[in-house]
Amino acid sequence: MAERDLNEMLKEMESKSRLHAEGGVDHLDDTQRVKVLSPGRLVFKRFIRNRLAIVGSCILIFMFVFCFIGPIFYPYEQTDKFYKTDILENADYAAAQKRTEYSIIKVDESVSVHYSVTNMMNYYINEMKKTGDDIMLVKSDSGEKYLVQYQADNVYTLNVSNLNRIGVHASELLICEFDMLTQTLTYSEGIVMDEAFGEMAKTAAMDNLDKFVYDGKTYAVENTGRKKYAVKYYADSGIQYIAENPGGGFEDAVLAAITEGEKTFEFGGSRYLLDQAAPGAYDIYKFAIGDILFVCSTYSVDILSGAAVPADFVKAALIGYCRGGAFSYNGIDYVISEEIENRDTVVNIYRLGETKNPYARFTTFSVSRHSGSGDLTIEFKEDVRRKIEEMIEQGKSVDTLITKVEKQASDGSVMVDEDGNVIYEDTKVTITRKGDNYTITCDRFRYLIDRYAPPFSEVSTDVHILGTDGDGFDIFARIMYGGRISLMVGFVVVIIETILGIIMGGISGYFGGWVDTLIMRLVEIFYCIPSLPIMIIIGAYLDAEQVNPYIRLIWLMAVLGFLGWASVARLVRGQILSLREQEFMLATEVEGLRVSRRIFRHLIPNVMPQLIVTATAGLGSVILLESTLSFLGLGVKHPLATWGTMINSVSDYNSMVNYTYIWIPVGLLICLTVIAFNFVGDGLRDAFDPKMKS
Amino acid sequence: MNTRNKEQTVPQENDNLLEVRHLKKYFPIRSSFFRQVTGYVKAVDDISFTIKRGTTMGLVGESGCGKSTVGRTLLRLYPKTSGEVLFNGRDIFKMSKKELRQFRPRIQIIFQDPYSSLSPRLPVGEIIGEAVREHNIVPPEEYDDYITRVMKACGLQEYHKERYPHEFSGGQRQRICIARALALNPEFIVCDEPVSALDVSIQAQIINLLKRLQKQFNLTYLFISHDLSVVEHISDTVGVMYLGSMVEYAPTEKVFAKPLHPYTEALFSAIPVPDPDYKMERIVLEGSIPSPANPPAGCKFHTRCRKYMEVCKYAAPVWKEVEPGHFCACHLYDSETERAEAERQAEAAKAEAENSKAV
């Protein structure tokens, strides 16, 4: 071919024409003065003339500034919890209990006592209280005998019994029992009679006689019911001595004790004990008190300084009390003395040498803090105890008293003077009885989560413009942070949708053929996918996996974007199909431009206007969808705020009616944002379409 | 391929820039459901011509006769069905994609519609210069000046560079199209009805611009038009097409002075003469153009021809040089041997048709 250079030829022409034009006057060219507007600038010009679109844009700009820049200047975070102090009327302060159950303290851990005795201790003590005895013989199921001894009020001991059986006194002796149904004759323990007696007893019972005579002695037969008969021998047989007879008049003393129902009696300077072995039969023991095995007491110990009482100290004090009133604990010696104080007998424990101020005191009351921790003063405990005893006397179940309770600062903390001592003040305290337990209540300051604070409420130094929600979070802060997520989700989802849609639609429209068919069928499948059930399944899966809320957010955006590209792809494909046949696309082919350049420089810019319009309109719907999903609990999770979750927090009727300040602002913001996006979308559509009348 | 094609002769000269040989372009007709091919639209059916360097060939014919398809197929915008297109002796259809892309600037096209042939979102400078940069037509440092020069050569001002197509009138847009084609330094430009969308005064400007550019830069044009006066004005040779086939080809003066083919005669009788006293002898063609999917047998024109003979129905006329440089395909100009051959063919075809009717 003939090589020729167009450029050189043009240059030549230019120089020639310049020679011609030399000295010629440039004529005015009006077109040169017309301002040049690119298509984008034209669209912008038309857009800013649309009043609604400008309103929409202003709202959106406000939203973005509010949500993305606002939080920087707002003092609270979305998850800052706010607290308030409040006077809690009749807050539980302490609990008191009058101890009536005797607790058993083992003196020697190595000695074992049969459980039938230890379990029955409270019963034995109550029996002794009823009869007024100071001593009681108890037998275990395994046959051992023990003595329960009264030591002081509320203090009993279980002792080893050093019994000396002196004799048996019987006034009525059960010989045998006869059961007419089985024809059996059962002899009482220790009684042996011959067969003739048995026969006589049987016949007497059968003949319904009330007595018979055998071997010169008269025996009585008594019907004890149900065809059972008891054969008894009445005889004042006196005392059969096993040991040496203590002396004359002893029998009278025994009889006197039996007739008076006494279990113990004194004779000749010694104590004796009657034990009813069988009806009318008594074993007579001379006894001596043996070693103490258990101490049983309803006492606990209050240390007067208010310090906590170790269990070992109580044990040592009680054992010491039983052994004469002195004990030592942790190397310090203590003395116990009973004193009269306000007409009550109190048992005080002194440290040896300190006789003025008692160190501790026995008490049947346990008074403790309701919270379980912290100490109470002895004055408070004493006041409460006295009041409760008064209540018991008067049969009241509720009563009040004035006593000293720690003074509280308004934030709920305990007030302290300069020396670090707790300040007390007189407070009205209410005692309520519930069985053996007493609840002590008084008005206290409490530090609480500031839930559902109304707008502009001021608690201490925090001011909440829109109040707080059910978790004590500041609503205004949450609206801003929630808006961030809602707007971000909207944008990211739309960007994902658009990118996927451009790629898929672009491939489909530009290449056509089987690729187009494949992608369009895929688009149809995506149109058929029900997105809500899929979101519910994914939400459930993410719940089960306990995914971090931020990762959950990414998932949400990815899934929403992935489900939404189909409509964009369809739009892009349609546009590209029509653009592809336009002559300027043929021209690019003739010019030999690369495929990528043809797509990205010629096709995509021509699709962009429609894309921008649909994307803007889509933003609003994505924000709504995100709110819906969050409302259903599938989207972003607590404590991350989004507008949807905020409305969800007042989803029941009661809170919706009572806490309107939570959902109305959020609802308004959602409405405004969606409307604004629609305004802008409409404005862009009109601006891109020059045929529309303004 | 029948004997007629073998005998066909093509004007042969050393200076031929473009040579089209037996070019065929059939568009498949597909059924709507299974996309099976049920027939073909024979848009270009066996066309041959040559264009000498620096000349203009006019291609005329009524609407739908395949003129534009010829233009686009020889640019390889459509795949061919058969035949070959030699440019400077190289077959365009045998080039690889890479070769084709490098070759592209040498052949350009100017479209009929200046509105749809410019991308609305690019400024004019970019439309003209985009491919210049892509193909490195000029060194990068001279690029801006080069575009300005090309624009000036096409009657555009430098400040038009930043403007967008919607700001221009139709004539200016066509100038932009011409500048876009020219900027690639082509040797051959297919002008696909470049002036039919413009009003008459602008048509003259564009035609004169094209002629001027041809003279200045030694361009070769294939000028497709249905406007015979424009073709007469610009062309050196003229081809007349009817229903996908070339029926007459000759230097412009010869065709306009003495059209041989009855179709050409009818066509040229419709040229308005700017003289109120002149009495026009219009030859009115009856009926409409037959479907290119099912063209008539024998001579394609016989259904509308004033001078048709029995033989025209069955035997296709032979493409032959009736006068020196004047080619035509019509039975009217058959020699004795050709007439005999045609009648023999006609008899055979008739017999065959009757056989098939009997069956």
Side-chain angles (χ1 to χ4, degrees):
Chain A
M1 69 173 249
E3 270 305 332
R4 60 202 183 96
D5 192 341
L6 184 69
N7 199 11
E8 290 305 319
M9 286 153 80
L10 284 165
K11 278 181 188 168
E12 211 171 284
M13 272 173 58
E14 205 178 33
S15 55
K16 269 186 205 162
S17 64
R18 203 174 287 144
L19 281 173
H20 280 289
E22 208 111 304
V25 182
D26 275 343
H27 50 83
L28 280 176
D29 192 347
D30 275 343
T31 51
Q32 220 162 339
R33 297 206 204 111
V34 175
K35 208 178 168 216
V36 180
L37 284 180
S38 71
R41 301 242 287 286
L42 266 181
V43 165
F44 179 72
K45 202 169 128 194
R46 280 202 288 266
F47 181 78
I48 57 168
R49 284 182 187 160
N50 186 335
R51 207 168 292 155
L52 273 183
I54 289 303
V55 170
S57 318
C58 288
I59 293 173
L60 286 186
I61 289 166
F62 165 75
M63 287 297 166
F64 275 89
V65 171
F66 175 71
C67 296
F68 285 87
I69 299 172
I72 299 168
F73 300 105
Y74 197 66
Y76 312 134
E77 289 281 317
Q78 57 173 328
T79 49
D80 279 351
K81 252 193 178 110
F82 291 94
Y83 293 88
K84 63 174 176 186
T85 47
D86 199 6
I87 292 181
L88 207 64
E89 285 179 16
N90 278 336
D92 285 346
Y93 178 68
Q97 192 187 20
K98 185 168 168 60
R99 296 179 53 169
T100 50
E101 288 282 303
Y102 284 80
S103 54
I104 294 166
I105 295 164
K106 270 190 175 183
V107 173
D108 188 351
E109 294 289 336
S110 61
V111 176
S112 69
V113 174
H114 196 266
Y115 64 86
S116 59
V117 174
T118 53
N119 288 354
M120 294 284 282
M121 280 311 293
N122 272 299
Y123 168 75
Y124 296 144
I125 291 166
N126 281 333
E127 284 295 302
M128 284 170 74
K129 273 185 181 170
K130 257 187 238 164
T131 55
D133 292 335
D134 64 344
I135 205 152
M136 186 178 184
L137 181 72
V138 296
K139 288 176 203 152
S140 72
D141 286 357
S142 55
E144 288 106 15
K145 289 177 177 136
Y146 299 98
L147 283 174
V148 180
Q149 193 184 11
Y150 167 87
Q151 298 286 357
D153 281 346
N154 304 317
V155 183
Y156 291 80
T157 49
L158 183 76
N159 297 19
V160 177
S161 62
N162 288 333
L163 291 176
N164 192 3
R165 199 177 179 198
I166 290 179
V168 180
H169 169 84
S171 52
E172 173 195 276
L173 191 62
L174 179 71
I175 304 295
C176 62
E177 277 178 325
F178 176 66
D179 189 337
M180 215 181 335
L181 291 175
T182 52
Q183 292 285 318
T184 49
L185 202 65
T186 323
Y187 288 99
S188 293
E189 202 185 332
I191 293 169
V192 183
M193 303 295 269
D194 53 17
E195 263 181 46
F197 176 81
E199 287 302 312
M200 273 197 85
K202 271 185 196 173
T203 38
M206 306 274 261
D207 298 343
N208 215 3
L209 297 173
D210 51 352
K211 55 181 149 185
F212 66 95
V213 178
Y214 174 76
D215 201 15
K217 284 174 185 169
T218 309
Y219 296 86
V221 179
E222 283 175 23
N223 190 342
T224 55
R226 293 238 166 220
K227 303 278 183 199
K228 282 184 180 168
Y229 298 87
V231 180
K232 289 176 177 174
Y233 172 64
Y234 289 99
D236 188 7
S237 58
I239 297 169
Q240 294 172 339
Y241 288 100
I242 297 161
E244 190 187 342
N245 188 347
F250 183 72
E251 249 171 77
D252 294 336
V254 170
L255 281 173
I258 289 170
T259 45
E260 281 175 32
E262 299 271 349
K263 282 187 179 162
T264 55
F265 63 96
E266 286 195 17
F267 181 80
S270 302
R271 282 198 83 172
Y272 295 89
L273 186 137
L274 290 172
D275 181 35
Q276 191 169 13
Y282 296 90
D283 283 337
I284 303 157
Y285 298 98
K286 181 182 179 182
F287 72 91
I289 301 293
D291 291 338
I292 295 171
L293 292 173
F294 296 157
V295 178
C296 298
S297 175
T298 54
Y299 274 139
S300 62
V301 174
D302 279 339
I303 293 175
L304 267 61
S305 63
V309 184
D312 282 352
F313 182 81
V314 179
K315 182 178 167 182
L318 281 170
I319 294 169
Y321 189 32
C322 297
R323 282 181 175 161
F327 68 97
S328 69
Y329 175 74
N330 271 0
I332 301 166
D333 290 323
Y334 298 89
V335 177
I336 300 168
S337 74
E338 290 172 17
E339 287 161 19
I340 305 292
E341 197 178 273
N342 298 335
R343 288 170 295 144
D344 294 324
T345 310
V346 290
V347 186
N348 286 330
I349 302 168
Y350 293 89
R351 282 191 170 172
L352 196 67
E354 293 175 11
T355 47
K356 275 184 185 168
N357 296 317
Y359 172 73
R361 170 177 293 177
F362 282 118
T363 174
T364 54
F365 275 92
S366 62
V367 183
S368 60
R369 286 266 190 176
H370 184 74
S371 57
S373 60
D375 305 319
L376 290 167
T377 58
I378 194 74
E379 289 84 4
F380 179 83
K381 287 181 178 179
E382 286 296 311
D383 285 349
V384 168
R385 182 182 64 80
R386 233 172 277 126
K387 193 73 198 172
I388 288 173
E389 278 171 354
E390 194 184 307
M391 282 166 68
I392 294 168
E393 272 174 33
Q394 293 169 356
K396 280 185 181 173
S397 62
V398 180
D399 208 347
T400 56
L401 79 153
I402 308 286
T403 183
K404 286 197 186 316
V405 169
E406 299 99 315
K407 193 173 179 181
Q408 277 183 311
S410 60
D411 65 348
S413 62
V414 174
M415 282 178 84
V416 168
D417 65 11
E418 301 89 45
D419 302 335
N421 296 319
V422 178
I423 302 170
Y424 294 91
E425 64 173 356
D426 281 337
T427 312
K428 191 179 156 195
V429 164
T430 309
I431 301 175
T432 314
R433 184 185 161 181
K434 286 166 190 159
D436 279 340
N437 294 317
Y438 298 84
T439 316
I440 298 136
T441 54
C442 62
D443 295 350
R444 302 294 286 169
F445 286 117
R446 280 295 156 90
Y447 200 45
L448 296 170
I449 292 174
D450 192 10
R451 300 176 77 223
Y452 297 120
F456 292 107
S457 68
E458 196 173 333
V459 178
S460 62
T461 54
D462 308 320
V463 181
H464 303 295
I465 296 174
L466 288 174
T468 58
D469 65 5
D471 296 307
F473 297 145
D474 184 80
I475 293 174
F476 196 72
R478 280 178 82 76
I479 283 179
M480 291 195 286
Y481 282 96
R484 270 186 184 184
I485 288 182
S486 288
L487 291 174
M488 193 180 72
V489 166
F491 268 87
V492 172
V493 168
V494 165
I495 286 169
I496 294 173
E497 269 179 18
T498 311
I499 289 174
L500 271 175
I502 287 178
I503 293 171
M504 300 299 270
I507 291 170
S508 178
Y510 187 81
F511 293 104
W514 66 268
V515 181
D516 180 33
T517 314
L518 186 80
I519 290 176
M520 283 303 111
R521 295 300 88 76
L522 201 64
V523 163
E524 276 150 30
I525 289 168
F526 266 85
Y527 264 119
C528 296
I529 290 177
S531 56
L532 202 58
I534 290 216
M535 286 310 298
I536 289 173
I537 291 165
I538 289 171
Y541 172 76
L542 295 179
D543 277 347
E545 294 286 305
Q546 296 181 327
V547 176
N548 170 333
Y550 285 100
I551 293 173
R552 203 184 161 96
L553 186 65
I554 293 167
W555 265 93
L556 177 80
M557 293 190 291
V559 171
L560 283 182
F562 189 66
L563 290 175
W565 62 269
S567 58
V568 180
R570 228 176 219 192
L571 177 90
V572 171
R573 173 188 175 259
Q575 288 289 320
I576 285 180
L577 275 185
S578 75
L579 286 171
R580 196 176 62 160
E581 300 305 320
Q582 300 241 2
E583 281 175 348
F584 71 83
M585 284 312 293
L586 276 179
T588 58
E589 197 178 338
V590 173
E591 284 177 309
L593 295 182
R594 272 170 283 135
V595 171
S596 59
R597 201 172 170 81
R598 269 187 255 166
I599 293 176
F600 292 109
R601 286 284 295 179
H602 292 264
L603 283 180
I604 299 298
N606 282 298
V607 183
M608 278 328 273
Q610 282 85 347
L611 268 182
I612 290 169
V613 173
T614 43
T616 320
L619 267 172
S621 60
V622 169
I623 287 173
L624 272 188
L625 181 61
E626 191 276 330
S627 296
T628 314
L629 290 175
S630 297
F631 180 80
L632 293 176
L634 307 171
V636 181
K637 281 275 174 185
H638 192 81
L640 274 193
T642 74
W643 290 344
T645 50
M646 291 185 70
I647 290 186
N648 183 30
S649 67
V650 283
S651 57
D652 63 297
Y653 175 76
N654 194 32
S655 38
M656 195 186 80
V657 171
N658 291 323
Y659 309 122
T660 48
Y661 51 86
I662 296 177
W663 61 267
I664 284 181
V666 184
L668 277 178
L669 283 186
I670 294 178
C671 271
L672 270 180
T673 311
V674 175
I675 288 174
F677 272 121
N678 285 338
F679 280 170
V680 172
D682 281 357
L684 281 174
R685 195 195 57 210
D686 292 352
F688 277 122
D689 183 4
K691 281 167 241 160
M692 282 286 280
K693 280 183 184 170
S694 56
Chain B
M1 196 146 297
N2 57 35
T3 49
R4 184 176 65 102
N5 289 336
K6 277 179 197 162
E7 290 166 11
Q8 192 165 8
T9 52
V10 182
Q12 290 284 338
E13 302 231 4
N14 293 336
D15 212 12
N16 286 346
L17 180 68
L18 187 84
E19 219 175 313
V20 177
R21 288 182 188 159
H22 306 300
L23 185 67
K24 284 184 185 175
K25 174 64 197 170
Y26 295 172
F27 290 106
I29 305 166
R30 293 180 192 274
S31 67
S32 58
F33 190 61
F34 283 113
R35 323 260 319 137
Q36 282 166 321
V37 178
T38 53
Y40 291 96
V41 174
K42 296 176 178 175
V44 178
D45 194 6
D46 201 356
I47 278 191
S48 305
F49 58 86
T50 54
I51 306 175
K52 284 187 217 163
R53 188 182 300 280
T55 64
T56 303
M57 175 183 163
L59 196 57
V60 296
E62 55 193 304
S63 295
C65 69
K67 309 182 293 282
S68 290
T69 312
V70 171
R72 292 181 186 193
T73 311
L74 61 86
L75 279 172
R76 207 174 153 180
L77 286 177
Y78 300 144
K80 66 171 183 180
T81 305
S82 70
E84 48 192 7
V85 177
L86 301 177
F87 185 85
N88 269 327
R90 278 179 81 194
D91 193 340
I92 291 173
F93 283 101
K94 280 180 183 153
M95 289 177 184
S96 70
K97 273 193 177 164
K98 203 179 160 193
E99 283 173 327
L100 182 70
R101 215 167 75 79
Q102 285 168 347
F103 170 77
R104 279 293 189 200
R106 312 262 299 274
I107 305 188
Q108 286 299 305
I109 186 167
I110 299 164
F111 292 102
Q112 174 180 5
D113 183 3
Y115 291 87
S116 75
S117 56
L118 298 173
S119 176
R121 310 207 73 80
L122 288 179
V124 167
E126 183 63 19
I127 290 175
I128 296 171
E130 193 183 15
V132 173
R133 244 183 293 129
E134 179 104 356
H135 293 287
N136 298 316
I137 304 285
V138 290
E141 64 273 12
E142 281 187 51
Y143 169 78
D144 267 343
D145 291 341
Y146 175 73
I147 299 299
T148 313
R149 283 185 209 115
V150 169
M151 284 173 73
K152 283 197 173 147
C154 295
L156 294 163
Q157 299 303 311
E158 188 178 359
Y159 64 83
H160 288 144
K161 265 189 196 175
E162 279 87 48
R163 300 206 165 176
Y164 286 84
H166 67 265
E167 295 171 80
F168 292 91
S169 68
Q172 279 175 311
R173 282 168 183 240
Q174 204 58 289
R175 285 174 193 272
I176 296 167
C177 292
I178 293 167
R180 173 172 67 187
L182 184 67
L184 290 174
N185 191 13
E187 292 169 63
F188 181 68
I189 298 179
V190 175
C191 305
D192 190 357
E193 310 203 32
V195 293
S196 54
L198 310 174
D199 56 62
V200 181
S201 59
I202 310 290
Q203 280 189 6
Q205 287 179 15
I206 298 297
I207 294 295
N208 291 336
L209 171 67
L210 286 171
K211 282 192 87 167
R212 184 164 57 82
L213 292 175
Q214 182 171 41
K215 212 169 77 191
Q216 283 171 346
F217 306 120
N218 193 27
L219 296 173
T220 310
Y221 293 146
L222 173 65
F223 195 91
I224 297 165
S225 178
H226 53 253
D227 190 333
L228 292 166
S229 23
V230 169
V231 171
E232 187 181 6
H233 180 64
I234 196 168
S235 304
D236 298 309
T237 56
V238 174
V240 182
M241 279 182 75
Y242 181 76
L243 215 58
S245 307
M246 192 87 92
V247 292
E248 194 162 353
Y249 176 83
T252 313
E253 321 82 59
K254 278 191 178 172
V255 175
F256 280 85
K258 191 190 170 203
L260 292 178
H261 200 279
Y263 176 66
T264 320
E265 252 182 300
L267 208 60
F268 286 9
S269 76
I271 302 172
V273 180
D275 179 359
D277 298 333
Y278 181 80
K279 205 181 170 216
M280 280 182 68
E281 286 174 37
R282 284 202 58 186
I283 301 160
V284 181
L285 290 178
E286 311 255 311
S288 61
I289 189 164
S291 162
N294 187 20
C299 174
K300 282 177 183 171
F301 187 56
H302 82 263
T303 52
R304 301 165 82 191
C305 187
R306 288 192 306 161
K307 300 173 181 175
Y308 99 92
M309 301 168 292
E310 188 64 14
V311 72
C312 298
K313 264 188 182 178
Y314 302 102
V318 178
W319 180 251
K320 59 196 173 291
E321 197 165 7
V322 178
E323 290 169 23
H326 197 149
F327 295 80
C328 179
C330 184
H331 288 297
L332 287 174
Y333 308 103
D334 283 351
S335 62
E336 287 301 315
T337 48
E338 281 165 350
R339 175 68 55 85
E341 170 68 17
E343 273 168 5
R344 200 183 52 72
Q345 273 183 28
E347 287 303 314
K350 210 189 271 182
E352 201 175 304
E354 266 161 27
N355 279 347
S356 64
K357 212 179 270 177
V359 169

